[in-house]
């Protein structure tokens, strides 16, 4: 399982605290084995609420170990910014995928799956499937 | 024919208009959004004006690409990637021609608007910047008509119910307010009309 690179996860939120906290939560729930790279890209470089393409690009570079990167975004400008960056083609690592997933549950599913050594498609699918986990 | 200088004057004029109307844009956004559209657009367009002074760009396409890239990286809200995509995609469509015709500019802006629609998933009447951008582009190459159509398009968003973006959470309460993005897009096309009138 450790003989190949793990898929990286990037969490994009309007809030630095939200992105970091969800990253920490997901990492904690991934168990004690090898942990997939999880990077937070929240808020603006000045520490305000918002979205920063610079922070997103930096987080994606750091999360990229050669197996691809899965990006989760909370809402609004976070989603639109990542989509605009993907449309440009050269601002994010080549195998970067934005997944349509609930932010917290999707992050946990993605990090657990990626840490188990799953490939990009499986990690993206796991994050998206988190929408189907009903609570009631 | 329009050259890089024309596009630079257009964007510089837009930056001045946004500076002048930033408080109004924020006021519109405080009614149905998160009250940052004026400051976000001001930050973005100020950065565009500064970037164009530092690196003028020799073709209309290059100027639009630089402006679009700058907006995506400096605005911090959804208007950054949306306006950035409008300009960047238009810039790409123009390629590296030194001069472009009014029809080429119209087609390029149309490609930019298509990319914005795809990015944000908005349709006409959703109370977004596209309700200004689309009628303005349709009126081109008559620049004065485009400016007027943009102003009317923004005005026409007042009764609409927002279906995209932060304002859509408000449902019916979004009705009766001008969409801030439609208002800033009217500044963009108003500036285009102004610069073309001075040019012709």
């Amino acid at each position: 399982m450790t003989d190949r690179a793990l898929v990286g996860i990037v969490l994009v939120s309007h809030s630095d605290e939200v992105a970091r906290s969800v990253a920490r939560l997901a990492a904690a729930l991934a168990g004690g084995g090898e942990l997939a790279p999880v990077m937070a890209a929240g808020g603006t470089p000045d520490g305000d609420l918002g979205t920063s393409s610079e922070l997103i690009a930096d987080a994606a570079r750091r999360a990229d170990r050669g197996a691809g990167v899965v990006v989760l975004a909370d809402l609004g400008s976070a989603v639109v910014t990542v989509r605009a960056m993907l449309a440009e083609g050269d601002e994010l690592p080549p195998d970067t995928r934005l997944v349509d997933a609930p932010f917290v549950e999707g992050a946990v599913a993605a990090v657990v799956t990626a840490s188990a050594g799953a490939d990009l498609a499986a990690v993206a699918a796991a994050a998206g499937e988190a929408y189907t986990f009903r609570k009631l | 024919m329009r050259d890089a200088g024309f596009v630079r004057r257009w964007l510089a004029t837009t930056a001045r208009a946004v500076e002048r109307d930033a408080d109004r844009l924020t006021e519109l956004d405080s009614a149905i959004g998160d009250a940052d559209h004026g400051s976000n657009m001001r930050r973005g367009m100020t950065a565009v004006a500064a970037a164009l002074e530092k690196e003028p760009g020799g073709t209309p396409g290059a100027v639009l690409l630089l402006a679009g890239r700058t907006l995506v990286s400096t605005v911090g809200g959804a208007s950054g990637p949306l306006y950035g995509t409008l300009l960047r995609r238009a810039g790409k469509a123009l390629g590296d021609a030194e001069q472009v015709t009014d029809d080429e500019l119209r087609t390029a802006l149309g490609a930019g608007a298509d990319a914005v629609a795809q990015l944000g998933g908005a349709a006409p009447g959703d109370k977004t910047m596209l309700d200004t951008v689309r009628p303005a582009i349709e009126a081109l190459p008559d620049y004065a008509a485009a400016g007027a159509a943009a102003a009317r398009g923004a005005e026409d968003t007042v009764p609409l119910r927002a279906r995209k973006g932060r304002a859509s959470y408000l449902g019916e309460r979004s009705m009766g307010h001008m969409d801030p993005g439609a208002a800033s897009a009217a500044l963009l096309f108003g500036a285009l009309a102004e610069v073309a009138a001075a040019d012709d």
Side-chain angles (χ1 to χ4, degrees), chain A residues 44 46 48-54 75-77 80-81 83-85 87-88 91, chain B residues 65 69 72-78 81-82 85 88-89 92 118-121 169:
Chain A
T44 70
D46 309 334
D48 290 330
L49 294 178
T51 310
S52 160
S53 59
E54 203 181 307
L75 39 88
S77 64
V80 177
T81 301
R83 291 189 62 184
M85 293 172 76
E88 278 321 293
E91 296 182 1
Chain B
L65 276 175
R69 208 163 53 231
V72 174
S73 64
T74 57
V75 169
L82 291 168
T85 293
R88 229 162 27 171
R89 203 53 70 88
K92 273 189 188 164
Q118 204 185 1
L119 190 59
Y169 298 153

Side-chain angles (χ1 to χ4, degrees), chain B residues 28-29 39-40 51 57 64 69 77 79-80 118 122 127 157 164 166 180 184 192 197 199-200:
Chain B
L28 292 172
D29 196 31
S39 49
N40 280 350
L64 288 169
R69 208 163 53 231
S79 47
Q118 204 185 1
K127 200 178 180 96
T157 65
K164 285 288 161 189
R166 159 76 168 69
S184 56
L192 181 60
D199 231 39
D200 294 335

Side-chain angles (χ1 to χ4, degrees), chain B residues 1-2 94 99-106 143:
Chain B
M1 299 292 275
R2 311 291 176 179
L94 292 176
Q99 298 210 321
V100 299
T101 65
D102 287 339
D103 275 335
E104 283 166 344
L105 188 57
R106 177 201 157 121
Y143 288 89

